[in-house]
Amino acid sequence: MIYQTEITLSPFPRGCHLITRLIEKQLPTLPPCGLLHLFLKHSSAGLTLNENADPTVRYDFENMMNRIAPQSHLYEHDLEGADDMPAHFKSSLTGVSLMIPISGGRLNLGTWQGIYLCEFRNQGGSRQLVATVWS
Amino acid sequence: MIYQTEITLSPFPRGCHLITRLIEKQLPTLPPCGLLHLFLKHSSAGLTLNENADPTVRYDFENMMNRIAPQSHLYEHDLEGADDMPAHFKSSLTGVSLMIPISGGRLNLGTWQGIYLCEFRNQGGSRQLVATVWS
Amino acid sequence: MIYQTEITLSPFPRGCHLITRLIEKQLPTLPPCGLLHLFLKHSSAGLTLNENADPTVRYDFENMMNRIAPQSHLYEHDLEGADDMPAHFKSSLTGVSLMIPISGGRLNLGTWQGIYLCEFRNQGGSRQLVATVWS
């Protein structure tokens, strides 16, 4: 069985944001056993799993991404501003989709795992996500 | 229901290449609701989703990858040339597989999303891909 | 049909480890056609596919990860030691899950592809993995 829904995320400021609860609230009752696929329909933001407790992890994460893809670098693709091309590149480093096992009717995440929305643009606006549940 | 096929990609020059149409042409009629899994059977190339309009994004992407994993770095694994080990490392940064939602009989990609084949070798040759459609 | 099992990996030293055989031994008889999903329930280790033959690739891989996220960098999140925050960041670069096609009753990996467990902590301890087989 397959269930699919589209979720609109309100605009987030640039940085990493824990959205586990926000996603869970948009899902139907989960099956005893299955998989959840989350897919972000954008190329300048990312989805990843990381530490869900200490906000400094999200702070350091954003910093390290800026260290890897600095805005000061000379890009060819720069019409939309200095944050544009770095955002595209970072999006491929984290990826834009996640597959999470469902066990016993809940997301089978580790104790310290949470879903991050990584907003890599200064003004990314609202973001569109496709959630597919398989069982 | 599950459908699986193996696709051979003709050799691409080193760099990032938009292969969305090329992949779509090899797929059967897609179901109303499902998922497409693409899997590259290699460890020195990558699959990722990124901006599908401006070729300079692909140019900058290749450049940034070379900045992260420069050929000038001293690698232990160097028998096949200076492009070999960087290619392996880059392959794990992008990953070699994608999962894309299928909705209404088509790939449910965002307006600006396209499938990139990232050829990280100078002479990568033809590449083998497994496509699995689930519904 | 869906089958799910949880696998405990004994502690591995910091670095990249080829665990293809170890995983295969824990799986039931695989279906003629399907997909295997592997999911690591942690945020300071990673799963990736890479070269399965030459151990120097694993050595260079670990080195390149340390180059990207050096322990010497000043992190906000540093209570658990200098290897902690770099491990979180690296975990999102590789990702913690893999989806591998199953064809003819076996994992349809390329000749040179193997499953890497990337242990990014100095003392990561045992790691928990969820394997889901779909057919």
Side-chain angles (χ1 to χ4, degrees):
Chain A
M1 246 188 50
I2 195 159
Y3 167 90
Q4 203 173 68
T5 189
E6 210 144 329
I7 297 170
T8 303
L9 301 174
S10 304
F12 278 91
R14 179 167 166 172
C16 297
H17 307 278
L18 201 55
I19 59 165
T20 318
R21 295 290 164 269
L22 196 154
I23 296 294
E24 283 175 330
K25 275 193 272 181
Q26 308 267 350
L27 298 176
T29 305
L30 295 179
C33 183
L35 287 167
L36 168 67
H37 182 243
L38 297 173
F39 183 82
L40 199 60
K41 297 176 70 172
H42 302 273
S43 62
S44 57
L47 282 182
T48 191
L49 293 167
N50 218 302
E51 210 261 8
N52 61 11
D54 183 353
T56 62
V57 174
R58 268 105 76 196
Y59 174 86
D60 286 332
F61 194 105
E62 159 78 2
N63 268 359
M64 291 307 285
M65 276 293 177
N66 295 337
R67 192 174 178 274
I68 284 187
Q71 296 200 173
S72 59
H73 185 81
L74 205 62
Y75 300 98
E76 287 292 317
H77 181 80
D78 61 2
L79 278 180
E80 282 187 46
D83 64 319
D84 187 18
M85 187 56 218
H88 287 309
F89 187 61
K90 293 166 184 175
S91 174
S92 281
L93 292 183
T94 58
V96 295
S97 92
L98 293 173
M99 188 68 101
I100 300 171
I102 297 169
S103 315
R106 47 181 286 283
L107 298 186
N108 195 351
L109 294 167
T111 312
W112 304 104
Q113 282 182 312
I115 302 170
Y116 281 22
L117 172 76
C118 303
E119 177 54 75
F120 295 128
R121 295 301 308 267
N122 292 336
Q123 308 282 343
S126 72
R127 299 293 195 173
Q128 211 64 20
L129 208 142
V130 185
T132 307
V133 175
W134 243 320
S135 60
Chain B
M1 248 189 47
I2 195 159
Y3 167 90
Q4 203 172 68
T5 188
E6 210 144 331
I7 298 169
T8 302
L9 302 174
S10 304
F12 278 91
R14 179 165 166 172
C16 298
H17 308 278
L18 202 53
I19 59 165
T20 317
R21 294 290 164 269
L22 196 155
I23 296 293
E24 282 175 330
K25 276 194 271 180
Q26 308 267 350
L27 298 175
T29 305
L30 296 178
C33 182
L35 287 167
L36 168 67
H37 181 243
L38 297 174
F39 184 83
L40 199 60
K41 297 176 70 172
H42 302 274
S43 60
S44 57
L47 281 183
T48 192
L49 293 168
N50 219 302
E51 209 260 8
N52 61 10
D54 183 352
T56 61
V57 175
R58 269 104 78 196
Y59 173 86
D60 285 332
F61 194 105
E62 159 78 2
N63 267 0
M64 290 308 284
M65 275 292 176
N66 295 336
R67 192 175 177 274
I68 284 188
Q71 296 200 173
S72 58
H73 184 83
L74 206 63
Y75 300 98
E76 287 291 317
H77 181 81
D78 61 1
L79 278 181
E80 281 186 47
D83 64 319
D84 187 17
M85 187 56 218
H88 287 308
F89 186 61
K90 293 166 184 175
S91 174
S92 281
L93 293 182
T94 58
V96 295
S97 92
L98 293 173
M99 187 69 98
I100 300 170
I102 298 168
S103 316
R106 48 180 284 284
L107 298 186
N108 194 351
L109 293 167
T111 312
W112 304 104
Q113 283 181 311
I115 303 171
Y116 281 22
L117 172 76
C118 304
E119 178 53 76
F120 296 128
R121 295 302 307 267
N122 293 335
Q123 308 281 342
S126 72
R127 299 292 196 174
Q128 210 64 21
L129 208 144
V130 185
T132 307
V133 176
W134 242 320
S135 60
Chain C
M1 247 189 49
I2 195 159
Y3 166 91
Q4 203 174 67
T5 188
E6 210 144 331
I7 297 170
T8 303
L9 300 174
S10 306
F12 277 92
R14 179 166 166 171
C16 298
H17 307 277
L18 200 55
I19 60 165
T20 318
R21 294 290 163 268
L22 196 155
I23 296 293
E24 283 175 330
K25 275 194 272 181
Q26 308 267 349
L27 298 176
T29 304
L30 296 179
C33 183
L35 287 167
L36 168 67
H37 182 244
L38 297 174
F39 183 83
L40 199 59
K41 297 176 70 171
H42 301 274
S43 62
S44 57
L47 281 183
T48 192
L49 293 167
N50 219 303
E51 209 260 8
N52 61 10
D54 182 353
T56 61
V57 175
R58 269 105 77 195
Y59 173 86
D60 286 331
F61 194 105
E62 159 78 2
N63 267 359
M64 291 308 283
M65 276 292 176
N66 295 337
R67 192 175 176 275
I68 284 188
Q71 297 201 175
S72 58
H73 185 80
L74 206 62
Y75 300 98
E76 287 292 316
H77 181 81
D78 61 1
L79 279 180
E80 283 186 45
D83 64 321
D84 187 17
M85 187 56 218
H88 287 309
F89 186 62
K90 294 166 184 175
S91 174
S92 281
L93 293 181
T94 57
V96 295
S97 92
L98 293 174
M99 187 68 99
I100 301 171
I102 298 169
S103 315
R106 48 180 284 285
L107 298 185
N108 195 351
L109 293 167
T111 312
W112 304 104
Q113 282 181 311
I115 303 169
Y116 282 22
L117 172 75
C118 303
E119 177 54 75
F120 295 128
R121 296 301 309 265
N122 292 336
Q123 308 280 344
S126 71
R127 298 294 195 174
Q128 210 65 20
L129 208 144
V130 185
T132 308
V133 176
W134 243 320
S135 61

PDB file of all heavy atoms in Angstrom, chain A residues 74-100:
ATOM      1  N   LEU A  74      34.496  32.893  -6.132  1.00  0.00           N
ATOM      2  CA  LEU A  74      34.041  33.468  -7.394  1.00  0.00           C
ATOM      3  C   LEU A  74      33.257  32.423  -8.201  1.00  0.00           C
ATOM      4  O   LEU A  74      33.845  31.497  -8.764  1.00  0.00           O
ATOM      5  CB  LEU A  74      35.263  33.942  -8.194  1.00  0.00           C
ATOM      6  CG  LEU A  74      34.996  35.065  -9.204  1.00  0.00           C
ATOM      7  CD1 LEU A  74      34.514  36.334  -8.525  1.00  0.00           C
ATOM      8  CD2 LEU A  74      36.243  35.329 -10.028  1.00  0.00           C
ATOM      9  N   TYR A  75      31.939  32.575  -8.227  1.00  0.00           N
ATOM     10  CA  TYR A  75      31.094  31.640  -8.971  1.00  0.00           C
ATOM     11  C   TYR A  75      30.685  32.239 -10.319  1.00  0.00           C
ATOM     12  O   TYR A  75      30.504  33.451 -10.429  1.00  0.00           O
ATOM     13  CB  TYR A  75      29.835  31.310  -8.169  1.00  0.00           C
ATOM     14  CG  TYR A  75      30.116  30.673  -6.822  1.00  0.00           C
ATOM     15  CD1 TYR A  75      30.130  31.434  -5.654  1.00  0.00           C
ATOM     16  CD2 TYR A  75      30.371  29.302  -6.718  1.00  0.00           C
ATOM     17  CE1 TYR A  75      30.389  30.853  -4.418  1.00  0.00           C
ATOM     18  CE2 TYR A  75      30.636  28.718  -5.486  1.00  0.00           C
ATOM     19  CZ  TYR A  75      30.637  29.496  -4.342  1.00  0.00           C
ATOM     20  OH  TYR A  75      30.902  28.920  -3.131  1.00  0.00           O
ATOM     21  N   GLU A  76      30.477  31.377 -11.300  1.00  0.00           N
ATOM     22  CA  GLU A  76      29.903  31.801 -12.585  1.00  0.00           C
ATOM     23  C   GLU A  76      28.424  32.129 -12.425  1.00  0.00           C
ATOM     24  O   GLU A  76      27.913  33.077 -13.001  1.00  0.00           O
ATOM     25  CB  GLU A  76      30.058  30.686 -13.627  1.00  0.00           C
ATOM     26  CG  GLU A  76      31.467  30.480 -14.142  1.00  0.00           C
ATOM     27  CD  GLU A  76      31.945  31.663 -14.978  1.00  0.00           C
ATOM     28  OE1 GLU A  76      31.153  32.163 -15.796  1.00  0.00           O
ATOM     29  OE2 GLU A  76      33.109  32.093 -14.797  1.00  0.00           O
ATOM     30  N   HIS A  77      27.740  31.286 -11.647  1.00  0.00           N
ATOM     31  CA  HIS A  77      26.292  31.423 -11.438  1.00  0.00           C
ATOM     32  C   HIS A  77      26.060  32.353 -10.247  1.00  0.00           C
ATOM     33  O   HIS A  77      26.045  31.926  -9.093  1.00  0.00           O
ATOM     34  CB  HIS A  77      25.699  30.031 -11.162  1.00  0.00           C
ATOM     35  CG  HIS A  77      24.217  30.016 -10.944  1.00  0.00           C
ATOM     36  ND1 HIS A  77      23.299  30.049 -11.972  1.00  0.00           N
ATOM     37  CD2 HIS A  77      23.483  29.972  -9.813  1.00  0.00           C
ATOM     38  CE1 HIS A  77      22.071  30.012 -11.486  1.00  0.00           C
ATOM     39  NE2 HIS A  77      22.149  29.958 -10.176  1.00  0.00           N
ATOM     40  N   ASP A  78      25.904  33.657 -10.515  1.00  0.00           N
ATOM     41  CA  ASP A  78      25.828  34.617  -9.407  1.00  0.00           C
ATOM     42  C   ASP A  78      24.737  35.685  -9.571  1.00  0.00           C
ATOM     43  O   ASP A  78      24.681  36.647  -8.805  1.00  0.00           O
ATOM     44  CB  ASP A  78      27.194  35.297  -9.208  1.00  0.00           C
ATOM     45  CG  ASP A  78      27.623  36.065 -10.470  1.00  0.00           C
ATOM     46  OD1 ASP A  78      26.854  36.090 -11.448  1.00  0.00           O
ATOM     47  OD2 ASP A  78      28.742  36.619 -10.456  1.00  0.00           O
ATOM     48  N   LEU A  79      23.847  35.491 -10.539  1.00  0.00           N
ATOM     49  CA  LEU A  79      22.813  36.508 -10.808  1.00  0.00           C
ATOM     50  C   LEU A  79      21.879  36.756  -9.627  1.00  0.00           C
ATOM     51  O   LEU A  79      21.437  37.875  -9.389  1.00  0.00           O
ATOM     52  CB  LEU A  79      21.977  36.109 -12.029  1.00  0.00           C
ATOM     53  CG  LEU A  79      22.590  36.452 -13.395  1.00  0.00           C
ATOM     54  CD1 LEU A  79      21.672  36.010 -14.518  1.00  0.00           C
ATOM     55  CD2 LEU A  79      22.884  37.954 -13.489  1.00  0.00           C
ATOM     56  N   GLU A  80      21.583  35.693  -8.880  1.00  0.00           N
ATOM     57  CA  GLU A  80      20.620  35.830  -7.770  1.00  0.00           C
ATOM     58  C   GLU A  80      21.298  36.174  -6.445  1.00  0.00           C
ATOM     59  O   GLU A  80      20.665  36.076  -5.378  1.00  0.00           O
ATOM     60  CB  GLU A  80      19.833  34.546  -7.597  1.00  0.00           C
ATOM     61  CG  GLU A  80      18.717  34.360  -8.601  1.00  0.00           C
ATOM     62  CD  GLU A  80      17.874  33.129  -8.257  1.00  0.00           C
ATOM     63  OE1 GLU A  80      17.515  32.959  -7.084  1.00  0.00           O
ATOM     64  OE2 GLU A  80      17.599  32.339  -9.156  1.00  0.00           O
ATOM     65  N   GLY A  81      22.590  36.517  -6.476  1.00  0.00           N
ATOM     66  CA  GLY A  81      23.263  36.898  -5.237  1.00  0.00           C
ATOM     67  C   GLY A  81      24.301  35.887  -4.797  1.00  0.00           C
ATOM     68  O   GLY A  81      24.362  34.752  -5.292  1.00  0.00           O
ATOM     69  N   ALA A  82      25.098  36.297  -3.825  1.00  0.00           N
ATOM     70  CA  ALA A  82      26.248  35.503  -3.379  1.00  0.00           C
ATOM     71  C   ALA A  82      25.842  34.226  -2.647  1.00  0.00           C
ATOM     72  O   ALA A  82      26.635  33.299  -2.500  1.00  0.00           O
ATOM     73  CB  ALA A  82      27.143  36.348  -2.477  1.00  0.00           C
ATOM     74  N   ASP A  83      24.599  34.160  -2.166  1.00  0.00           N
ATOM     75  CA  ASP A  83      24.166  32.946  -1.450  1.00  0.00           C
ATOM     76  C   ASP A  83      23.578  31.899  -2.391  1.00  0.00           C
ATOM     77  O   ASP A  83      23.258  30.787  -1.938  1.00  0.00           O
ATOM     78  CB  ASP A  83      23.124  33.304  -0.374  1.00  0.00           C
ATOM     79  CG  ASP A  83      21.836  33.868  -0.999  1.00  0.00           C
ATOM     80  OD1 ASP A  83      21.938  34.665  -1.959  1.00  0.00           O
ATOM     81  OD2 ASP A  83      20.733  33.508  -0.535  1.00  0.00           O
ATOM     82  N   ASP A  84      23.450  32.203  -3.672  1.00  0.00           N
ATOM     83  CA  ASP A  84      22.725  31.329  -4.599  1.00  0.00           C
ATOM     84  C   ASP A  84      23.497  30.056  -4.950  1.00  0.00           C
ATOM     85  O   ASP A  84      23.068  28.934  -4.652  1.00  0.00           O
ATOM     86  CB  ASP A  84      22.375  32.114  -5.869  1.00  0.00           C
ATOM     87  CG  ASP A  84      21.474  31.332  -6.811  1.00  0.00           C
ATOM     88  OD1 ASP A  84      20.857  30.350  -6.354  1.00  0.00           O
ATOM     89  OD2 ASP A  84      21.393  31.695  -7.997  1.00  0.00           O
ATOM     90  N   MET A  85      24.657  30.209  -5.566  1.00  0.00           N
ATOM     91  CA  MET A  85      25.400  29.010  -5.991  1.00  0.00           C
ATOM     92  C   MET A  85      25.861  28.165  -4.804  1.00  0.00           C
ATOM     93  O   MET A  85      25.743  26.930  -4.849  1.00  0.00           O
ATOM     94  CB  MET A  85      26.577  29.416  -6.898  1.00  0.00           C
ATOM     95  CG  MET A  85      27.315  28.228  -7.520  1.00  0.00           C
ATOM     96  SD  MET A  85      26.239  27.080  -8.477  1.00  0.00           S
ATOM     97  CE  MET A  85      26.960  25.485  -8.049  1.00  0.00           C
ATOM     98  N   PRO A  86      26.366  28.787  -3.709  1.00  0.00           N
ATOM     99  CA  PRO A  86      26.691  27.956  -2.541  1.00  0.00           C
ATOM    100  C   PRO A  86      25.490  27.122  -2.081  1.00  0.00           C
ATOM    101  O   PRO A  86      25.649  25.955  -1.717  1.00  0.00           O
ATOM    102  CB  PRO A  86      27.066  28.982  -1.458  1.00  0.00           C
ATOM    103  CG  PRO A  86      27.526  30.182  -2.213  1.00  0.00           C
ATOM    104  CD  PRO A  86      26.752  30.202  -3.498  1.00  0.00           C
ATOM    105  N   ALA A  87      24.287  27.713  -2.149  1.00  0.00           N
ATOM    106  CA  ALA A  87      23.075  26.983  -1.732  1.00  0.00           C
ATOM    107  C   ALA A  87      22.848  25.760  -2.621  1.00  0.00           C
ATOM    108  O   ALA A  87      22.522  24.673  -2.139  1.00  0.00           O
ATOM    109  CB  ALA A  87      21.861  27.901  -1.776  1.00  0.00           C
ATOM    110  N   HIS A  88      23.027  25.917  -3.939  1.00  0.00           N
ATOM    111  CA  HIS A  88      22.869  24.773  -4.850  1.00  0.00           C
ATOM    112  C   HIS A  88      23.863  23.663  -4.500  1.00  0.00           C
ATOM    113  O   HIS A  88      23.513  22.492  -4.418  1.00  0.00           O
ATOM    114  CB  HIS A  88      23.100  25.201  -6.309  1.00  0.00           C
ATOM    115  CG  HIS A  88      21.983  26.019  -6.883  1.00  0.00           C
ATOM    116  ND1 HIS A  88      20.676  25.624  -6.828  1.00  0.00           N
ATOM    117  CD2 HIS A  88      21.982  27.212  -7.541  1.00  0.00           C
ATOM    118  CE1 HIS A  88      19.913  26.531  -7.419  1.00  0.00           C
ATOM    119  NE2 HIS A  88      20.681  27.506  -7.849  1.00  0.00           N
ATOM    120  N   PHE A  89      25.089  24.057  -4.292  1.00  0.00           N
ATOM    121  CA  PHE A  89      26.118  23.049  -4.019  1.00  0.00           C
ATOM    122  C   PHE A  89      25.845  22.315  -2.704  1.00  0.00           C
ATOM    123  O   PHE A  89      25.891  21.079  -2.635  1.00  0.00           O
ATOM    124  CB  PHE A  89      27.499  23.712  -3.994  1.00  0.00           C
ATOM    125  CG  PHE A  89      28.621  22.724  -3.875  1.00  0.00           C
ATOM    126  CD1 PHE A  89      28.830  21.761  -4.849  1.00  0.00           C
ATOM    127  CD2 PHE A  89      29.461  22.745  -2.771  1.00  0.00           C
ATOM    128  CE1 PHE A  89      29.866  20.842  -4.738  1.00  0.00           C
ATOM    129  CE2 PHE A  89      30.501  21.829  -2.653  1.00  0.00           C
ATOM    130  CZ  PHE A  89      30.697  20.880  -3.629  1.00  0.00           C
ATOM    131  N   LYS A  90      25.530  23.075  -1.666  1.00  0.00           N
ATOM    132  CA  LYS A  90      25.247  22.469  -0.358  1.00  0.00           C
ATOM    133  C   LYS A  90      24.066  21.504  -0.450  1.00  0.00           C
ATOM    134  O   LYS A  90      24.030  20.480   0.228  1.00  0.00           O
ATOM    135  CB  LYS A  90      24.910  23.565   0.663  1.00  0.00           C
ATOM    136  CG  LYS A  90      26.066  24.490   1.016  1.00  0.00           C
ATOM    137  CD  LYS A  90      25.540  25.735   1.745  1.00  0.00           C
ATOM    138  CE  LYS A  90      26.631  26.741   2.049  1.00  0.00           C
ATOM    139  NZ  LYS A  90      26.054  27.992   2.640  1.00  0.00           N
ATOM    140  N   SER A  91      23.094  21.857  -1.295  1.00  0.00           N
ATOM    141  CA  SER A  91      21.898  21.029  -1.452  1.00  0.00           C
ATOM    142  C   SER A  91      22.254  19.616  -1.927  1.00  0.00           C
ATOM    143  O   SER A  91      21.618  18.632  -1.527  1.00  0.00           O
ATOM    144  CB  SER A  91      20.951  21.698  -2.447  1.00  0.00           C
ATOM    145  OG  SER A  91      19.850  20.874  -2.733  1.00  0.00           O
ATOM    146  N   SER A  92      23.286  19.516  -2.771  1.00  0.00           N
ATOM    147  CA  SER A  92      23.708  18.192  -3.227  1.00  0.00           C
ATOM    148  C   SER A  92      24.588  17.487  -2.196  1.00  0.00           C
ATOM    149  O   SER A  92      24.753  16.269  -2.253  1.00  0.00           O
ATOM    150  CB  SER A  92      24.444  18.283  -4.568  1.00  0.00           C
ATOM    151  OG  SER A  92      23.515  18.429  -5.623  1.00  0.00           O
ATOM    152  N   LEU A  93      25.180  18.234  -1.276  1.00  0.00           N
ATOM    153  CA  LEU A  93      25.995  17.591  -0.229  1.00  0.00           C
ATOM    154  C   LEU A  93      25.103  16.908   0.813  1.00  0.00           C
ATOM    155  O   LEU A  93      25.395  15.806   1.262  1.00  0.00           O
ATOM    156  CB  LEU A  93      26.913  18.612   0.449  1.00  0.00           C
ATOM    157  CG  LEU A  93      28.039  19.183  -0.434  1.00  0.00           C
ATOM    158  CD1 LEU A  93      28.910  20.131   0.383  1.00  0.00           C
ATOM    159  CD2 LEU A  93      28.909  18.063  -1.027  1.00  0.00           C
ATOM    160  N   THR A  94      24.015  17.569   1.197  1.00  0.00           N
ATOM    161  CA  THR A  94      23.090  16.921   2.139  1.00  0.00           C
ATOM    162  C   THR A  94      22.123  16.010   1.401  1.00  0.00           C
ATOM    163  O   THR A  94      21.697  14.991   1.932  1.00  0.00           O
ATOM    164  CB  THR A  94      22.221  17.958   2.897  1.00  0.00           C
ATOM    165  OG1 THR A  94      21.499  18.736   1.936  1.00  0.00           O
ATOM    166  CG2 THR A  94      23.074  18.867   3.765  1.00  0.00           C
ATOM    167  N   GLY A  95      21.771  16.382   0.169  1.00  0.00           N
ATOM    168  CA  GLY A  95      20.685  15.707  -0.524  1.00  0.00           C
ATOM    169  C   GLY A  95      19.354  16.351  -0.165  1.00  0.00           C
ATOM    170  O   GLY A  95      19.262  17.153   0.773  1.00  0.00           O
ATOM    171  N   VAL A  96      18.318  15.995  -0.932  1.00  0.00           N
ATOM    172  CA  VAL A  96      16.991  16.573  -0.691  1.00  0.00           C
ATOM    173  C   VAL A  96      15.960  15.514  -0.335  1.00  0.00           C
ATOM    174  O   VAL A  96      14.760  15.795  -0.297  1.00  0.00           O
ATOM    175  CB  VAL A  96      16.490  17.377  -1.921  1.00  0.00           C
ATOM    176  CG1 VAL A  96      17.370  18.582  -2.178  1.00  0.00           C
ATOM    177  CG2 VAL A  96      16.403  16.496  -3.165  1.00  0.00           C
ATOM    178  N   SER A  97      16.412  14.304  -0.103  1.00  0.00           N
ATOM    179  CA  SER A  97      15.406  13.298   0.255  1.00  0.00           C
ATOM    180  C   SER A  97      15.904  12.363   1.346  1.00  0.00           C
ATOM    181  O   SER A  97      17.098  12.159   1.525  1.00  0.00           O
ATOM    182  CB  SER A  97      14.922  12.547  -0.990  1.00  0.00           C
ATOM    183  OG  SER A  97      15.639  11.396  -1.250  1.00  0.00           O
ATOM    184  N   LEU A  98      14.956  11.825   2.103  1.00  0.00           N
ATOM    185  CA  LEU A  98      15.253  10.910   3.208  1.00  0.00           C
ATOM    186  C   LEU A  98      14.334   9.708   3.110  1.00  0.00           C
ATOM    187  O   LEU A  98      13.169   9.846   2.696  1.00  0.00           O
ATOM    188  CB  LEU A  98      15.002  11.589   4.560  1.00  0.00           C
ATOM    189  CG  LEU A  98      15.912  12.757   4.947  1.00  0.00           C
ATOM    190  CD1 LEU A  98      15.404  13.399   6.227  1.00  0.00           C
ATOM    191  CD2 LEU A  98      17.360  12.281   5.126  1.00  0.00           C
ATOM    192  N   MET A  99      14.841   8.550   3.510  1.00  0.00           N
ATOM    193  CA  MET A  99      14.007   7.356   3.626  1.00  0.00           C
ATOM    194  C   MET A  99      14.178   6.861   5.057  1.00  0.00           C
ATOM    195  O   MET A  99      15.289   6.546   5.480  1.00  0.00           O
ATOM    196  CB  MET A  99      14.493   6.321   2.612  1.00  0.00           C
ATOM    197  CG  MET A  99      13.619   5.125   2.487  1.00  0.00           C
ATOM    198  SD  MET A  99      12.010   5.503   1.748  1.00  0.00           S
ATOM    199  CE  MET A  99      12.259   4.950   0.073  1.00  0.00           C
ATOM    200  N   ILE A 100      13.073   6.803   5.779  1.00  0.00           N
ATOM    201  CA  ILE A 100      13.124   6.453   7.203  1.00  0.00           C
ATOM    202  C   ILE A 100      12.254   5.230   7.457  1.00  0.00           C
ATOM    203  O   ILE A 100      11.083   5.205   7.046  1.00  0.00           O
ATOM    204  CB  ILE A 100      12.622   7.640   8.061  1.00  0.00           C
ATOM    205  CG1 ILE A 100      13.510   8.876   7.815  1.00  0.00           C
ATOM    206  CG2 ILE A 100      12.609   7.283   9.546  1.00  0.00           C
ATOM    207  CD1 ILE A 100      12.969  10.158   8.442  1.00  0.00           C
TER     208      ILE A 100
END
